[in-house]
């Protein structure tokens, strides 16, 4: 592959696919990893994450060969466009990458670059591990009970972008089809109307639920909960539930049991070698996040439910500055923090880089570098526990010392080296 304006590092090797079917990777000791620092505070949190991840790789006998690629404002400077082919091609070729936030100006005439990247690379699962870090202020009484990993489907649902604007010829055509051909005219009020379509496919559902189950098995989790509103939207969200259970039975029948079987056959005592697959209705699940937090583990859900639910859960553990994420495809991972580019703080060396650093931790896990990933997690926890923190945490805790982004990252690096 040749690149127009970016250099492939001369040192390091490419991560390759070891097994087409499972998406398992062959990861060298010095992989080449593309990185997009991102817009706004991306210029602060990007370099901070880079140095922590490098330290963790080195402390576990490896190294990372970074390949800087561009999207958003930095790409407009370099290439005159928001999302150059170089960037998409590099992530496609090198398989595992990390990015900071990208700005999507309201009404600026281009779609979200984040959405575009996920679509172009078919990164169909948005993954958000959500757990509380000791010392982080939270609005709930027992934030430590939260330890969930959300798998949100990224390509379907009302987010698929199949919609027509009120007043256009297209929407009138769709309305006519619905009223005439499909006989549902009595459900559509007169006057201007906007119409969107909610596609949920067996293919999209099964590959998402497969990722969630694989993750749960690999990380010794107790359950996967399918969250849906199938009582109302029977043929979309109800189908998601049914296809999810079907996949669990067809492909993981020997290692999974349903909640009914847990009670009927095991008296509620979960056997160590079985993963429970259960389901919950979305509105109930939003309550249970708060009231029965400890009973849930890995969550698999569709795009819109996942959007609401993962943000609500994120708030329970202390909010945006610390919430990490990643997007998984088949044998591909693009890690990214949940937060945006917070333009008002851009370049001030002020914001919290934890979300970007912990997104890097997910990336290390994806590489199979569990020791390095654990080191990052522990070093972040140790640093926050010492109350030497960035402004966002400092303003919510008693005492402690306020650090700049770069100083906070240096403390984490010190702790990585100390804990190694
Ligand atoms: P935002 O950038 O996430 O910022 C909202 C607020 O969250 C900030 O003002 C700040 O709160 C807090 N915050 C965010 N990141 C933080 C960090 N690292 N450390 C400490 N506090 C942090 O949301 P937004 O202002 O709605 O969006 C700005 C731009 O980002 C938009 O263009 C949006 O489209 C884009 N965006 C991108 C992504 C992505 O790239 N994945 C995701 C979401 C949004 P205080 O002011 O209270 O300190």
């Amino acid at each position: 592959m040749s690149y127009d304006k970016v250099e492939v590092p001369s040192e390091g090797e490419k991560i390759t696919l070891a097994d087409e079917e499972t998406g398992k990777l062959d990861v060298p000791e010095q992989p080449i990893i593309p990185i997009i620092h991102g817009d706004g505070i991306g210029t602060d949190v990007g370099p901070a994450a880079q140095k922590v991840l490098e330290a963790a790789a080195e402390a576990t006998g490896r190294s990372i060969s970074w390949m800087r690629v561009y999207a958003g404002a930095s790409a407009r400077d370099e290439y005159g466009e928001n999302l150059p082919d170089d960037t998409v091609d590099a992530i496609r070729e090198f398989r595992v990458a990390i990015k900071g936030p990208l700005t999507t100006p309201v009404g600026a005439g281009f779609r979200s670059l984040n959405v575009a990247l996920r679509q172009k690379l078919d990164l169909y699962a948005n993954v958000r591990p959500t757990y509380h870090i000791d010392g982080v202020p939270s609005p709930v009484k027992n934030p430590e009970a939260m330890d969930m990993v959300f798998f949100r489907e990224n390509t379907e649902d009302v987010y698929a972008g199949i919609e027509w604007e009120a007043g256009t010829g297209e929407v009138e055509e769709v309305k006519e089809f619905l009223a005439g051909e499909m006989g549902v005219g009595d459900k559509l009020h007169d006057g201007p109307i906007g119409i969107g379509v909610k596609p949920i496919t067996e293919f999209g559902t099964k590959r998402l639920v497969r990722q969630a189950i694989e993750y749960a098995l690999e990380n010794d989790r107790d359950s996967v909960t399918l969250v849906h509103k199938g009582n109302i939207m029977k043929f979309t969200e109800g189908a998601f539930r049914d296809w999810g259970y079907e996949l669990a039975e067809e492909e993981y029948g020997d290692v999974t049991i349903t909640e009914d079987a847990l009670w009927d056959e095991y008296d509620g005592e979960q056997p160590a070698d079985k993963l429970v697959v259960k389901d919950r209705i979305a509105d109930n699940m939003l309550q249970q996040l708060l009231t029965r937090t400890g009973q849930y583990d890995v969550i698999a859900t569709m795009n819109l439910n996942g959007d609401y639910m993962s943000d609500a859960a994120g708030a329970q553990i202390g909010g945006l500055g610390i919430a990490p994420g990643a997007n998984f495809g088949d044998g591909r991972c693009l890690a990214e923090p949940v937060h945006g580019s917070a333009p008002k703080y851009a370049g001030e060396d002020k914001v919290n880089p934890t979300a970007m650093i912990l997104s890097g931790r997910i990336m290390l896990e994806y590489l199979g570098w569990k020791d390095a990933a654990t080191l990052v997690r522990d070093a972040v926890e140790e640093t926050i526990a010492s109350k030497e923190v960035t402004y966002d945490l400092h303003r919510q805790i008693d005492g402690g010392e306020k650090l700049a982004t770069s100083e906070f990252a240096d403390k984490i690096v010190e702790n990585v080296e100390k804990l190694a």
Side-chain angles (χ1 to χ4, degrees), residues 101-104 114 320 336 339-342 344-345 352 391 395:
L102 296 170
T103 302
T104 308
N114 303 301
L320 280 179
E336 60 171 345
H339 64 70
S341 55
K344 67 180 176 185
Y345 296 131
N352 191 344
Y391 86 97
R395 72 186 169 190

Side-chain angles (χ1 to χ4, degrees), residues 242-287:
D242 296 346
W243 286 323
Y245 277 125
E246 201 175 278
L247 181 277
E249 201 187 318
E250 280 168 1
E251 295 184 18
Y252 301 95
D254 51 340
V255 284
T256 60
I257 49 171
T258 60
E259 204 169 24
D260 284 347
L262 175 66
W263 289 101
D264 295 348
E265 293 166 31
Y266 300 95
D267 239 0
E269 283 291 321
Q270 182 165 352
D273 60 345
K274 300 279 188 223
L275 174 73
V276 174
V277 178
K278 53 190 176 182
D279 76 283
R280 293 289 181 273
I281 300 226
D283 46 343
N284 178 29
M285 188 65 214
L286 274 166
Q287 295 186 59

